[in-house]
């Protein structure tokens, strides 16, 4: 008997890669997505890659009625993986209420619908942004969380606090919260990847769009940080490694011998690369120089972030296996495929 897993936001970037991993491991997947930042055609691609078309329901999880109704239909599900959220930092500063409303209502409605329908396991998409500007590297999970610079980041911090209160309340539901560092890369098929709407906020899609001629040049936001070359250091992680970590977290939650109500894990590689190192690595992969210019710092950026990976390795038996070259190559292949299609 296949175990049914509800994946909210399963049409999005990390969600769609995770759906593929779940299907490949014989889970039955139900995707819930409002398609606000994704396209339903992703289902065709998932089917092409895996041979299985996941069940799909278009639903707005901000509505408690709609959430209750869809969870009732799928009350035989064993667990929920909750990716659905808005994630654009700059947009969240412009429109904080939209972010608090969407990211927090959807989580609360999901938890309530799980409780009412006896679906007792949840994996939550959190972010390294909950660490703010950490004082020691690598960052371990017990480092203090800080109020985020952006409303987006703050929704992740508040969501973790909600999960802490909820799992302390003797609820039946057990939760794993996964703190992603900087996800990049795309599926090896070249069929799915990140597709940001409008001007990308994040470094990797900005680099690939610049190389593809969609953007004129990359702005490097500051080179006067206290790092080796003055540009900020981040822990970039392949999205397929992230998807594998969700599988491991799910297996742990569904294992009757694991009894922790709430666990938190970093998902990173433990290695940090500067913005200039990323540009050089991209140029090596693409074989062409990238047009870029050093500009002012971007408000809210911190000098350095990279994960301690020890806890995920020890408890989830997971570690990232894909290196920087593979991450960048897959991002670039995906961008080129996308441009050929558009
Ligand atoms: C990386 C580095 C920039 C764009 C954010 C969110 C986090 C997570 C991932 C997602 C920084 C520099 C970037 C550009 C640049 N959220 N940069 N020019 O800021 O580490 O994390 O995205 O949903 O919560 O905060 O990632 O990719 O934006 O930036 O110089 O055009 O690249 O200054 O040093 P960040 P990023």
């Amino acid at each position: 008997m296949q175990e049914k897993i509800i994946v909210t936001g399963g049409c999005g970037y990390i969600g769609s890669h995770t759906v593929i991993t779940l299907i490949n491991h014989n889970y039955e997947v139900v995707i819930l997505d409002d398609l606000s930042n994704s396209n339903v055609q992703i289902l065709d691609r998932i089917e092409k890659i895996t041979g299985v078309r996941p069940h799909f329901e278009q639903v707005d999880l901000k509505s408690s009625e709609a959430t209750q109704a869809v969870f009732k239909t799928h009350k035989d599900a064993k667990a929920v993986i909750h990716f659905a959220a808005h994630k654009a930092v700059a947009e969240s500063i412009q429109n904080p209420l939209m972010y608090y409303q969407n990211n927090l209502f959807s989580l609360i409605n999901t938890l309530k619908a799980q409780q009412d329908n006896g679906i007792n396991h949840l994996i939550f998409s959190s972010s390294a942004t909950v660490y703010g500007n950490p004082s020691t590297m690598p960052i371990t999970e017990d480092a203090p969380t800080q109020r985020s610079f952006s409303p987006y980041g703050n929704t992740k911090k508040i969501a973790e606090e909600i999960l802490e209160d909820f799992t302390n309340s003797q609820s039946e539901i057990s939760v794993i919260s996964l703190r992603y560092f900087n996800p990049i890369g795309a599926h090896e098929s070249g069929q799915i990847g990140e597709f940001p709407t409008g001007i990308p906020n994040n470094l990797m899609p900005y680099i690939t769009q610049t190389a593809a001629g969609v953007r004129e040049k990359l702005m490097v936001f500051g080179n006067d940080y206290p790092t080796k070359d003055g540009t900020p250091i981040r822990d970039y992680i392949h999205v397929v490694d992230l998807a594998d970590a969700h599988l491991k977290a799910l297996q742990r939650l569904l294992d009757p011998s694991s009894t922790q109500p709430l666990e938190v894990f970093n998902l990173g590689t433990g290695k940090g690369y500067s913005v200039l190192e990323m540009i050089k690595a991209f140029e090596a992969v693409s074989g062409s120089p990238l047009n870029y210019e050093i500009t002012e710092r971007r408000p809210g950026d911190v000098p350095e972030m990279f994960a301690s990976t020890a806890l995920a390795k020890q408890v989830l038996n997971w570690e990232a296996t894909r290196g920087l070259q593979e991450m960048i190559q897959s991002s670039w292949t995906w961008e080129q495929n996308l441009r050929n299609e558009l």
Side-chain angles (χ1 to χ4, degrees):
M1 227 329 236
Q2 278 188 315
E3 290 177 305
K4 187 190 269 193
I5 310 298
I6 293 175
V7 181
T8 77
C11 294
Y13 174 43
I14 306 173
S16 58
H17 287 83
T18 303
V19 166
I20 289 172
T21 300
L22 294 176
I23 292 173
N24 286 341
H25 286 81
N26 207 27
Y27 289 97
E28 180 188 350
V29 173
V30 175
I31 294 177
L32 311 183
D33 204 304
D34 68 357
L35 301 177
S36 62
N37 191 26
S38 56
N39 195 311
V40 75
Q41 283 156 8
I42 193 86
L43 299 175
D44 298 335
R45 293 171 183 233
I46 292 172
E47 185 175 4
K48 206 167 154 197
I49 292 167
T50 64
V52 177
R53 192 174 186 86
H55 188 85
F56 171 72
E57 309 253 13
Q58 184 168 357
V59 55
D60 179 359
L61 299 173
K62 292 196 296 300
S63 155
S64 67
E65 292 78 16
T67 309
Q68 284 289 347
V70 78
F71 273 68
K72 203 170 171 193
T73 314
H74 297 288
K75 64 188 308 170
D76 55 332
K78 292 281 176 277
V80 178
I81 308 183
H82 183 53
F83 292 103
H86 293 330
K87 61 168 186 177
V89 171
E91 184 185 52
S92 79
I93 294 169
Q94 296 298 318
N95 200 344
L97 290 186
M98 178 176 133
Y99 272 68
Y100 288 117
Q101 188 176 43
N102 186 67
N103 293 6
L104 298 178
F105 283 16
S106 69
L107 173 65
I108 293 165
N109 290 337
T110 296
L111 287 171
K112 182 79 174 69
Q114 283 189 245
Q115 197 169 41
D116 292 351
N117 290 285
I119 307 172
N120 286 339
H121 305 288
L122 173 71
I123 296 174
F124 177 68
S125 295
S126 187
S127 167
T129 195
V130 300
Y131 295 116
N133 189 0
S135 49
T136 48
M137 292 296 143
I139 307 169
T140 50
E141 286 82 350
D142 57 5
T145 60
Q146 295 173 13
R147 194 196 187 288
S148 179
F149 165 79
S150 74
Y152 157 73
N154 223 26
T155 66
K156 294 296 178 187
K157 180 173 181 289
I158 296 169
E160 285 203 358
E161 290 166 356
I162 291 172
L163 291 171
E164 206 177 322
D165 289 342
F166 181 69
T167 50
N168 275 337
S169 69
Q170 295 174 337
S171 110
E172 294 285 302
I173 297 175
S174 56
V175 177
I176 290 182
S177 182
L178 299 174
R179 293 175 178 164
Y180 311 151
F181 279 68
N182 290 65
I184 62 170
H187 192 260
E188 61 188 7
S189 64
Q191 290 294 305
I192 65 166
E194 189 173 10
F195 188 23
T197 42
I199 301 170
N201 295 282
N202 297 118
L203 179 64
M204 197 67 229
Y206 212 107
I207 288 178
T208 56
Q209 288 196 9
T210 304
V214 184
R215 311 278 154 211
E216 193 204 333
K217 67 176 143 185
L218 170 75
M219 309 296 173
V220 174
F221 299 138
N223 66 349
D224 58 350
Y225 287 91
T227 60
K228 49 191 163 187
D229 60 23
T231 62
I233 290 174
R234 295 289 182 272
D235 184 339
Y236 296 92
I237 174 156
H238 199 300
V239 66
V240 178
D241 277 327
L242 273 192
D244 291 344
H246 288 75
L247 173 71
K248 294 288 175 108
L250 180 66
Q251 288 167 341
R252 178 166 172 82
L253 278 176
L254 296 180
D255 177 351
S257 67
S258 52
T259 54
Q260 297 293 321
L262 173 63
E263 291 180 295
V264 174
F265 298 100
N266 287 339
L267 299 184
T269 65
K271 289 193 199 70
Y273 293 98
S274 74
V275 176
L276 291 179
E277 284 175 330
M278 292 298 286
I279 293 172
K280 280 204 192 72
F282 180 81
E283 289 176 334
V285 163
S286 70
S288 309
L290 188 81
N291 192 17
Y292 72 90
E293 181 188 329
I294 311 284
T295 62
E296 291 295 290
R297 286 184 179 198
R298 182 172 70 177
D301 278 344
V302 300
E304 186 173 45
M305 299 272 281
F306 58 92
S308 164
T309 58
L311 191 68
K313 195 169 169 182
Q314 185 200 326
V315 178
L316 296 179
N317 189 27
W318 170 88
E319 63 184 322
T321 60
R322 293 161 180 86
L324 189 65
Q325 207 257 344
E326 196 175 345
M327 297 184 215
I328 292 180
Q329 180 65 64
S330 63
S331 295
W332 182 222
T333 302
W334 160 246
E335 181 74 53
Q336 289 170 295
N337 289 350
L338 193 61
R339 295 303 144 196
N340 285 338
E341 275 174 33
L342 292 175

